Every structure is written in C-alpha cells, then in structure tokens.
C-alpha cells in the first residue's frame, strides 16, 4: 500500500482511479486503492506536516464519498530519535491525538 503526504499526488491518483473506473464500468468492479497518510512528526524527510494531516484525511474521505475507489488504511510516521525517549513520547502522543481525531470525525 502506498503512502502519501501531498494533495498533488492525491489529485493525480483520484483522476487516474476515476478514469479507470469509468473505463471498466459494467465489466467488473475495479479494486480500491488503500493508502497510508505519512505524517512528519520530527524526522524532516517525508510526510505532511501534522497541521496539514486532517485536511488530507478529509480529502480522502471526500473522494471516497464522491465514488472514487480510494480508502485510507492508516497513518504512518518515522520516529526520528529512538534513543531520545522524550522526543519519541511527544511524536507518539502527536500521532495518537491525530488518530483519535480521525476516528472521532470519520469513524475509523
């Protein structure tokens, strides 16, 4: 399952999935693309900023409601400082708070 952190990638995937769905309509049901939202909690290499995460979750949810075959399977991050217990706890706490808010808003 791919991970993403960018609205541009999500828009391109939605266009491709919609085109594929239109092409296959009536012949067989196309599969659903499952993705993980990658969130940067401190490593600085990949992932959306924590402040942008809910906007991207909402975008996936909206696409699915519009009939695009996409679903968010989960959230992902990389802990930047495994030996720094305090930093790891902060990162974990941020991801847990995000997961709880996603569950509250979207039931996932």
């Amino acid at each position: 399952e791919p991970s993403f952190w960018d609205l541009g990638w999500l828009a391109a995937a939605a266009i491709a999935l919609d085109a594929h769905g239109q092409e296959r309509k009536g012949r067989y049901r196309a599969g659903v693309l499952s993705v993980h939202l990658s969130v940067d909690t401190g490593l600085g290499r990949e992932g959306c900023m924590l402040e942008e995460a809910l906007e991207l979750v909402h975008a996936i949810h909206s696409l699915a409601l519009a009939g695009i075959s996409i679903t968010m399977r989960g959230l992902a991050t990389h802990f930047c400082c495994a030996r720094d217990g305090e930093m790891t706890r902060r990162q974990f706490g941020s991801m847990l708070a995000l997961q709880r808010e996603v569950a509250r808003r979207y039931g996932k």
Side-chain angles (χ1 to χ4, degrees):
E1 296 170 343
S3 64
F4 81 100
W5 55 89
D6 172 278
L7 273 175
W9 182 92
L10 186 59
I15 291 167
L17 287 168
D18 187 47
H20 179 73
Q22 294 299 322
E23 178 183 311
R24 300 290 184 205
K25 197 169 273 188
R27 288 193 259 168
Y28 62 89
R29 181 167 166 17
V32 175
L33 176 62
S34 296
V35 297
H36 284 83
L37 175 59
S38 183
V39 181
D40 185 350
T41 57
L43 187 61
R45 289 194 197 150
E46 68 177 41
C48 68
M49 299 309 297
L50 194 58
E51 299 79 25
E52 302 168 327
L54 286 173
E55 177 185 358
L56 291 166
V57 171
H58 179 73
I60 293 171
H61 183 73
S62 297
L63 288 170
L65 288 176
I68 303 297
S69 297
I70 190 166
T71 188
M72 191 178 87
R73 178 72 69 183
L75 300 167
T77 194
H78 290 279
F79 295 117
C80 69
C81 308
R83 292 190 175 112
D84 182 346
E86 182 58 33
M87 178 63 163
T88 300
R89 279 188 289 282
R90 279 197 308 269
Q91 288 178 284
F92 183 79
S94 295
M95 288 300 288
L96 186 58
L98 175 60
Q99 185 275 327
R100 286 179 176 156
E101 184 60 19
V102 169
R104 186 186 73 76
R105 290 185 186 194
Y106 305 103
K108 295 184 180 197

